[in-house]
Amino acid sequence: MSVPFVDLHAQYLSIKSEVDGAIQDCLNTSSFIGGSKVKKFEEEFASYVGSKFCVSCGNGTDSIEILLKAMGIGPGDEVIVPAMTWISTSEAVSSVGANPVFVDIHPDYYTIDVTKIESKITSKTKAIIPVHLYGLPCEMDEILSLARKYKLTVLEDCAQAHGAVYKGKKVGTMGNAASFSFYPGKNLGAYGDAGAMVTNDEGLAETAGMITNHGQKAKHDHRMEGRNSRLDTIHAAVLSVKLKHLDNWNSKRRSTAASYCELLKDAAIKLPSSPEYSKHVFHLFVVQTDDRGGVMDYLTKKNIDTAIHYPSSLPFVKAYEHLKLRRDDFPVSSVFQEKIISLPMFAELTEDKISYVTEMISERTGRASLKVRV
Ligand SMILES: *Cc1c(COP(=O)(O)O)cnc(C)c1O
């Protein structure tokens, strides 16, 4: 048996006729940029998230950067971001000329540690970007209350959490605005790069929309300098088809996670956990072990693909060497990065493959209960 890390082809086959028809329709009408299909997807996505406005753009990184720019964040400003995330989050902050300020992560939830944010707030802090990492919503009540106390803007990075829910609220609806990525491997993915922003703030949506299209309010009416970051029509058509399946795919991911947890409950590894008021959508299923190299090699030999998200937390990647950040300031993420393994996770993963993965992990790690007895 072999188990891939993700299987986008299996997903395509499951929706082939719908998606082929949607793409063919773009070709038949020669509509490639903008148009009614893009507008339709924006409306559908805003309604799915429960936000008033959705502005599509070229990719998830742009969606963070464009929102920061539209919020007026720039040189001299500081923006709080988690230490463990994909680099887009901090990159977007630097791209608008502001400075990312890293905060360590929660030891069990792996999202930004809300008890460590306040000490990083200065007179220059303008915003917080909570990242709903791996599909688990951040502790938003605490983040929003800090934001009120210090008058900070909150930009939710929802790139890994389409459809996740925190205390009855969908991610993307709690901050001032939110960014989404539709990179092909995300829970909702296009067939290339794509992204979107959502907000209830009409002015912010309008500015962000202008930035995506050369600062134009109407054709040739450039109110400002913007850029070219647009959602291609073909991607919008694909996303409209896929959005209808998202809840179903997310529940399959959740049941795969439940099976993993059940079958691995005695294995000598740390499983993901989430508070009962949060609905985790498991973009990734991340476990921790002291024997990462051994477990990954063993699984590779058994034809099971795994990955690491991410091999280094951001304070310690070369790009941020100049900040001279110390491991002591990031005690959780600096250890976490050395123990994590992402297991295969996608909606089409079958029960027999899930069992095979868990058996091979238990074979390598042994059972925690046995270890305790020895
Ligand atoms: C994927 C991702 C992004 C950016 O998405 P792209 O569409 O690849 O630019 C941003 N933040 C996080 C946390 C991500 O995982």
Side-chain angles (χ1 to χ4, degrees), residues 59-62 64 85-86 88-89 131 133 157 159-160 180-183 186 193-195 283 310:
N59 58 71
T61 310
D62 281 1
I64 308 172
T85 172
W86 175 240
S88 297
T89 316
V131 179
L133 195 72
D157 181 340
Q160 303 189 0
F180 285 86
S181 163
F182 305 121
Y183 178 81
K186 300 285 160 98
D193 279 311
H283 172 56
Y310 299 92

Side-chain angles (χ1 to χ4, degrees), residues 9-132:
H9 191 65
Q11 188 198 56
Y12 168 58
L13 292 180
S14 76
I15 53 169
K16 186 174 185 309
S17 61
E18 279 179 279
V19 127
D20 287 357
I23 293 174
Q24 189 61 53
D25 195 43
C26 295
L27 301 180
N28 289 342
T29 55
S30 290
S31 62
F32 301 116
I33 307 276
S36 61
K37 290 190 177 63
V38 172
K39 199 165 180 302
K40 176 170 172 280
F41 173 68
E42 288 177 337
E43 285 166 7
E44 289 165 352
F45 195 65
S47 138
Y48 175 81
V49 173
S51 256
K52 280 198 191 135
F53 307 99
C54 169
V55 177
S56 59
C57 63
N59 58 71
T61 310
D62 281 1
S63 68
I64 308 172
E65 192 182 323
I66 291 166
L67 279 173
L68 289 169
K69 205 173 167 199
M71 287 164 171
I73 291 165
D77 295 336
E78 290 176 0
V79 178
I80 289 180
V81 300
M84 181 53 83
T85 172
W86 175 240
I87 194 169
S88 297
T89 316
S90 54
E91 227 173 23
V93 173
S94 306
S95 296
V96 299
N99 300 312
V101 174
F102 297 104
V103 170
D104 206 8
I105 55 167
H106 188 282
D108 298 315
Y109 302 152
Y110 316 147
T111 49
I112 192 165
D113 186 337
V114 292
T115 66
K116 293 180 179 167
I117 295 177
E118 196 160 17
S119 64
K120 301 273 181 129
I121 295 175
T122 71
S123 58
K124 293 177 182 161
T125 310
K126 289 283 152 50
I128 306 178
I129 308 184
V131 179
H132 306 303

Side-chain angles (χ1 to χ4, degrees), residues 184-327:
K186 300 285 160 98
N187 289 30
L188 178 62
Y191 288 163
D193 279 311
M197 309 158 244
V198 300
T199 181
N200 287 329
D201 180 336
E202 188 167 13
L204 186 64
E206 193 185 23
T207 307
M210 286 196 288
I211 294 172
T212 65
N213 199 11
H214 305 292
Q216 296 175 104
K217 190 169 163 75
K219 200 167 173 72
H220 302 307
D221 178 10
H222 303 278
R223 297 292 171 98
M224 62 202 291
E225 278 187 332
R227 61 204 286 173
N228 176 353
S229 181
R230 299 178 297 226
L231 176 66
D232 295 330
T233 313
I234 284 182
H235 295 315
V238 168
L239 288 166
S240 278
V241 168
K242 287 200 182 190
L243 182 57
K244 291 185 270 172
H245 299 276
L246 177 60
D247 283 341
N248 178 33
W249 289 335
N250 278 345
S251 23
K252 291 210 170 126
R253 285 174 182 270
R254 283 165 55 75
S255 78
T256 295
S259 299
Y260 270 148
C261 288
E262 174 57 27
L263 296 166
L264 288 168
K265 65 179 190 299
D266 297 324
I269 56 167
K270 184 174 157 82
L271 294 165
S273 52
S274 54
E276 102 289 329
Y277 49 75
S278 284
K279 183 176 160 194
H280 196 320
V281 293
F282 290 99
H283 172 56
L284 295 167
F285 189 90
V286 175
V287 299
Q288 290 189 69
T289 161
D290 292 330
D291 175 32
R292 176 170 66 190
V295 172
M296 284 184 85
D297 286 349
Y298 193 74
L299 295 179
T300 303
K301 279 197 208 98
K302 301 292 178 181
N303 297 315
I304 297 167
D305 292 343
T306 56
I308 302 173
H309 300 88
Y310 299 92
S312 175
S313 51
L314 294 178
F316 312 112
V317 299
K318 198 146 185 75
Y320 296 115
E321 217 172 47
H322 62 282
L323 299 176
K324 299 197 165 50
L325 298 168
R326 297 174 317 126
R327 278 181 78 97

